[in-house]
């Protein structure tokens, strides 16, 4: 894990030349923050934000309010240009989070301190909406609470990849699977097996099967140990600090392995690629609109995109602390700014003078600084250099390219599959020439043929009804003399029928040949990221479903599409409806016996 005490020393050489002798003006900022502490996967309960996690994110929000908001006396040299200082203006902000409870809750806690409640009677700028006809002031609930617009997106949205690009990415899963089969993992697992097994009685008994307590599940094991050490007095008094540190080191090693290139396979950094393009889209849109939109952009998610982005920026090789996992509430920051003899009085007319810099804050402690780090080998780069270098390290610049890179089977990827048509017209010599370089795929041709056949059949049937007197009647079955069921006419009203699904739940689950079965109620925690890969060791011992990374599979976000700089926010969709397969069997009425 990154040490907040070491970061300022490592970056000291880069802090001085950053500003030189010029005065900066921050025009826009993109802040990606890891969620706060959550209940651990091994608890077997729904994943949710803890009170400590909420407090930490509240503290993180207060830190960034001090940085980006000017109290009116010029006290903040890094205040964002033109950002409303007292009352929330949702047109100036963009706030995005997946629909996982612990991530959305983190965003809400963060924003409570970024935009604290406003008492109309004490506010220097009184909103006309707060004044009643009798001259009195009326505050919103909770002492003037402000209501930020939080864009909360589900995994079904085509733009969700910009905040969690490794989810639903099949090629990423394959790359992780290759790592799970690698000699490196096997050697590490062999070397650390005794260490993990020694902690079963002290920490993991009853939480995980003994054979599954291994390096393969390093993230889940450390998460639980860290949580128990914080919240369980008995564990805290018995757990040796050196053991907790070793669990952390092994978790860091595993996390880095699945978020950095392995053997030249850049797909493991896909979450970082999509995050960086999301950053570029937001900053560019601010510039294109002369600073009217997206001044402060607050994104929330897991550690996976953060580590992948740091790997793409080649930070671990120069700053070894980046091999570690960011603490809860840590933030990656990208700022768009200008340099000049004085703070700007107006937004720049073009992008030629704009620069981008990268900063990082590891944790939420008041003493933890927001430290600058080099980006593409320099303290800051011009906008043109930023985009040029970004194109070299990321190919996922739109949902279609992401679907292609990932070979994803995500539902929304179907709209990007090629299905084109050739229109041929005769030329002067009588031969056919193509007026379009597109062709009709067999699948699309079959669909068109089926639709035409159904339409013709429908017309014929309608004509038979109108001209030939064809009619369809429904013949009702005779009424049953009794209540039915197993007892027939002897059944009493108090007797309950057994309702049996049309298809065996076991068969539907893929256990063909097992005969009829009953599907147990779904229990346990919400599955985290990378559950498609899961852990074969856990599955073998009846403990499947632990994610290898952290992820946000409970729901992921729909950030801005880079293609159009910023896409319009689509209407809210019902989450459960979105997760229904439209190509599956329709809902069937239950059979009663």
């Amino acid at each position: 894990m990154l040490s907040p005490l070491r970061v300022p020393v490592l970056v000291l050489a880069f802090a001085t030349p950053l500003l030189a002798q010029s005065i900066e003006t921050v025009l826009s900022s993109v802040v990606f923050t890891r969620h706060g502490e959550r209940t651990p996967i091994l608890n077997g309960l729904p994943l949710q934000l803890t009170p400590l996690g909420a407090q930490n994110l509240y503290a993180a929000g207060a830190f960034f309010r001090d940085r980006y908001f000017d109290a009116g006396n010029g006290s903040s040299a890094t205040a964002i240009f033109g950002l409303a200082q007292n009352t929330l203006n949702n047109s100036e902000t963009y706030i995005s989070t997946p629909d996982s409870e612990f991530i959305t809750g983190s965003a809400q806690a963060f924003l409570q301190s970024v935009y604290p409640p406003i008492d109309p009677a004490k506010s220097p700028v009184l909103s006309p909406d707060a004044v009643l006809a009798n001259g009195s002031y009326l505050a919103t609930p909770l002492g003037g609470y402000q209501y930020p617009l939080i864009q909360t997106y589900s995994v079904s949205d085509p733009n969700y990849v910009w905040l969690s690009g490794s989810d639903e990415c099949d090629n990423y899963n394959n790359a992780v699977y290759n790592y799970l089969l690698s000699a490196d993992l096997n050697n590490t697992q062999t070397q650390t097996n005794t260490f993990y097994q020694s902690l079963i009685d002290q920490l993991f008994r009853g939480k995980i099967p003994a054979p599954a307590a291994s390096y393969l599940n390093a993230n889940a094991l450390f998460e639980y140990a860290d949580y128990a050490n914080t919240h369980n007095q008995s564990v805290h008094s018995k757990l040796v600090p050196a053991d907790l540190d070793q669990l952390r080191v092994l978790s860091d090693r595993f996390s880095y392995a699945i978020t950095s290139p392995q053997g030249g396979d850049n797909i493991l950094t896909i979450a970082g690629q999509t995050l960086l393009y999301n950053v570029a889209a937001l900053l560019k849109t601010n510039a294109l609109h002369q600073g009217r939109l997206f001044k402060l952009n607050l994104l929330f998610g897991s550690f996976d995109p953060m580590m992948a982005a740091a790997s793409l920026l080649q930070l671990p090789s120069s700053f070894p602390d980046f091999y570690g996992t960011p603490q809860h509430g840590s933030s990656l920051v990208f700022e768009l700014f200008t340099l000049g003899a004085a703070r700007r009085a107006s937004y720049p007319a073009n992008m030629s003078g704009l620069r981008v810099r990268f900063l990082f804050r590891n944790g939420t402690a008041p003493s933890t600084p927001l430290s600058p780090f080099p980006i593409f080998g320099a303290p800051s780069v011009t906008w043109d250099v930023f985009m040029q270098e970004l194109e070299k390290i990321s190919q996922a610049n739109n949902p279609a390219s992401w679907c292609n890179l990932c070979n994803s089977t995500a539902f929304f990827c179907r709209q990007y599959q090629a299905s084109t048509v050739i229109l041929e017209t005769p030329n002067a010599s009588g031969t056919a020439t193509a007026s379009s370089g597109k062709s009709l795929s067999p699948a699309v041709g079959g669909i068109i043929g089926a639709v035409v056949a159904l339409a013709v059949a429908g017309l014929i049937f309608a004509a038979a009804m109108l001209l030939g007197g064809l009619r369809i009647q429904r013949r009702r079955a005779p009424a049953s003399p009794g209540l039915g069921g197993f007892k027939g006419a002897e059944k009493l009203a108090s007797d309950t029928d057994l309702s049996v699904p049309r298809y065996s739940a076991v068969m539907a689950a893929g256990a063909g040949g097992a005969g009829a079965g009953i599907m147990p109620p779904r229990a346990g925690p919400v599955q985290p990221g990378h559950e498609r890969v899961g852990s074969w060791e856990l599955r073998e011992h009846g403990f499947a479903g632990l994610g290898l990374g952290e992820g946000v599979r409970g729901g992921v976000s729909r950030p801005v599409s880079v293609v159009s700089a910023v896409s319009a926010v689509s209407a809210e969709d019902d989450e459960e409806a979105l997760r229904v397969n439209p190509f599956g069997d329709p809902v069937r009425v239950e059979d009663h016996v």
Side-chain angles (χ1 to χ4, degrees):
M1 182 174 291
L2 290 169
S3 169
L5 298 178
R6 294 174 58 190
V7 170
V9 177
L10 290 172
V11 300
L12 186 61
F14 294 91
T16 303
L18 182 62
L19 298 179
Q21 302 269 324
S22 300
I23 297 177
E24 68 183 53
T25 302
V26 178
L27 304 174
S28 178
S29 177
V30 180
V31 181
F32 184 97
T33 301
R34 186 190 175 193
H35 61 78
E37 181 197 61
R38 69 182 186 186
T39 52
I41 299 171
L42 293 186
N43 261 6
L45 299 173
L47 303 180
Q48 58 186 11
L49 185 69
T50 67
L52 177 61
Q55 289 287 350
N56 289 341
L57 267 292
Y58 183 89
F63 176 89
F64 284 101
R65 177 171 177 81
D66 290 341
R67 179 173 180 83
Y68 291 135
F69 291 78
D70 195 331
N73 54 9
S75 58
S76 176
T78 54
I80 295 178
F81 176 78
L83 183 64
Q85 301 301 308
N86 298 293
T87 305
L88 168 66
N89 182 350
N90 281 307
S91 67
E92 296 180 342
T93 63
Y94 177 77
I95 305 163
S96 178
T97 170
D99 63 356
S100 294
E101 187 278 338
F102 59 93
I103 301 182
T104 303
S106 297
Q108 292 172 329
F110 187 98
L111 290 163
Q112 285 175 348
S113 57
V114 174
Y115 289 102
I118 293 180
D119 184 349
K122 299 178 181 179
S123 175
V125 179
L126 189 63
S127 171
D129 299 332
V131 183
L132 301 182
N134 60 8
S136 62
Y137 302 120
L138 184 65
T140 55
L142 302 177
Y145 185 84
Q146 300 193 71
Y147 300 92
L149 176 61
I150 302 178
Q151 307 288 356
T152 305
Y153 305 122
S154 79
V155 69
S156 301
D157 192 280
N159 285 324
Y160 90 93
V161 299
W162 302 118
L163 284 187
S164 191
S166 56
D167 287 335
E168 300 292 323
C169 182
D170 294 350
N171 283 341
Y172 171 85
N173 295 339
N174 293 336
V176 172
Y177 185 73
N178 289 335
Y179 170 67
L180 299 182
L181 299 178
S182 67
D184 175 70
L185 182 137
N186 184 65
N187 292 336
T188 304
Q189 184 148 316
T190 301
Q191 295 168 6
T192 60
N193 185 65
T194 301
F195 168 70
Y196 279 111
Q197 294 298 307
S198 70
L199 296 176
I200 291 178
D201 290 333
Q202 182 181 0
L203 268 177
F204 305 124
R205 179 70 65 189
K207 296 296 181 181
I208 189 171
S214 69
Y215 175 66
L216 187 63
N217 297 304
N219 282 342
L221 295 171
F222 168 68
E223 179 188 47
Y224 177 78
D226 191 41
Y227 175 89
N229 185 61
T230 301
H231 296 275
N232 188 307
Q233 185 177 6
S234 176
V235 172
H236 180 76
S237 62
K238 297 178 181 178
L239 183 61
V240 178
D243 288 341
L244 183 62
D245 288 341
Q246 180 68 1
L247 287 170
R248 176 187 291 111
V249 169
L250 292 172
S251 176
D252 290 346
R253 178 173 180 175
F254 191 95
S255 297
Y256 181 77
I258 62 173
T259 55
S260 60
Q262 297 289 326
D265 191 350
N266 211 39
I267 195 65
L268 286 170
T269 65
I270 188 66
Q273 295 181 46
T274 54
L275 172 60
L276 291 176
Y277 258 104
N278 193 17
V279 168
L282 293 167
L283 295 180
K284 182 176 181 179
T285 305
N286 174 266
L288 293 177
H289 289 83
Q290 290 288 288
R292 293 186 298 273
L293 304 176
F294 302 134
K295 298 175 183 180
L296 179 59
N297 307 278
L298 304 174
L299 316 178
F300 299 86
S302 67
F303 68 73
D304 309 58
M306 303 176 77
M307 296 187 71
S311 179
L312 287 169
L313 295 175
Q314 299 182 355
L315 292 172
S317 58
S318 300
F319 305 96
D321 282 343
F322 277 100
Y323 285 112
T325 306
Q327 298 179 24
H328 290 115
S330 298
S331 297
L332 293 181
V333 181
F334 294 84
E335 292 181 344
L336 185 69
F337 70 104
T338 61
L339 296 174
R343 283 184 59 85
R344 298 192 64 90
S346 61
Y347 201 92
N350 54 64
M351 302 182 69
S352 60
L354 303 185
R355 304 187 68 83
V356 179
R357 64 183 171 195
F358 169 74
L359 307 99
F360 176 69
R361 185 173 190 247
N362 186 40
T364 61
S367 59
T368 302
L370 178 64
S371 303
F373 285 88
I375 180 171
F376 301 124
S380 67
V381 294
T382 64
W383 175 259
D384 289 341
V385 170
F386 176 71
M387 291 304 299
Q388 290 168 6
E389 295 297 324
L390 184 60
E391 291 174 357
K392 295 178 183 178
I393 61 176
S394 175
Q395 297 175 306
N397 56 5
N398 55 57
S401 64
W402 178 87
C403 289
N404 181 57
L405 287 170
C406 289
N407 191 29
S408 177
T409 56
F411 173 70
F412 63 81
C413 285
R414 300 178 187 181
Q415 65 181 301
Y416 303 115
Q417 294 174 352
S419 58
T420 55
V421 178
I422 282 185
L423 298 179
E424 295 183 336
T425 56
N427 56 21
S429 61
T431 59
T433 58
S435 58
S436 169
K438 301 178 179 181
S439 63
L440 182 65
S441 68
V444 175
I447 293 174
I448 294 175
V451 171
V452 172
L454 288 174
V456 172
L459 291 175
I460 294 174
F461 187 76
M465 292 183 67
L466 292 174
L467 303 178
L470 177 63
R471 295 292 184 268
I472 297 177
Q473 293 182 345
R474 178 180 179 182
R475 188 177 300 275
R476 297 183 178 273
S480 173
L483 293 174
F486 288 113
K487 296 184 179 182
E490 298 177 2
K491 181 180 183 293
L492 300 178
S494 60
D495 293 333
T496 303
D497 277 347
L498 172 65
S499 177
V500 181
R502 181 177 296 271
Y503 297 105
S504 163
V506 174
M507 295 289 287
I518 298 176
M519 182 175 290
R522 184 174 182 180
V526 178
Q527 300 304 327
H530 318 315
E531 65 180 346
R532 291 87 52 216
V533 179
S535 163
W536 72 74
E537 189 170 53
L538 290 178
R539 282 197 292 270
E540 288 175 355
H541 298 281
F543 202 81
L546 289 190
L548 298 179
E550 186 170 49
V552 292
R553 277 285 292 156
V556 275
S557 70
R558 174 178 54 199
V560 172
S561 171
V562 179
V563 181
S564 58
V566 174
S567 62
V569 178
S570 62
E572 288 187 355
D573 298 310
D574 183 82
E575 176 184 348
E576 293 302 323
L578 286 174
R579 294 181 181 175
V580 174
N581 179 8
F583 299 101
D585 292 335
V587 176
R588 300 177 183 272
V589 179
E590 289 186 335
D591 291 339
H592 295 272
V593 292

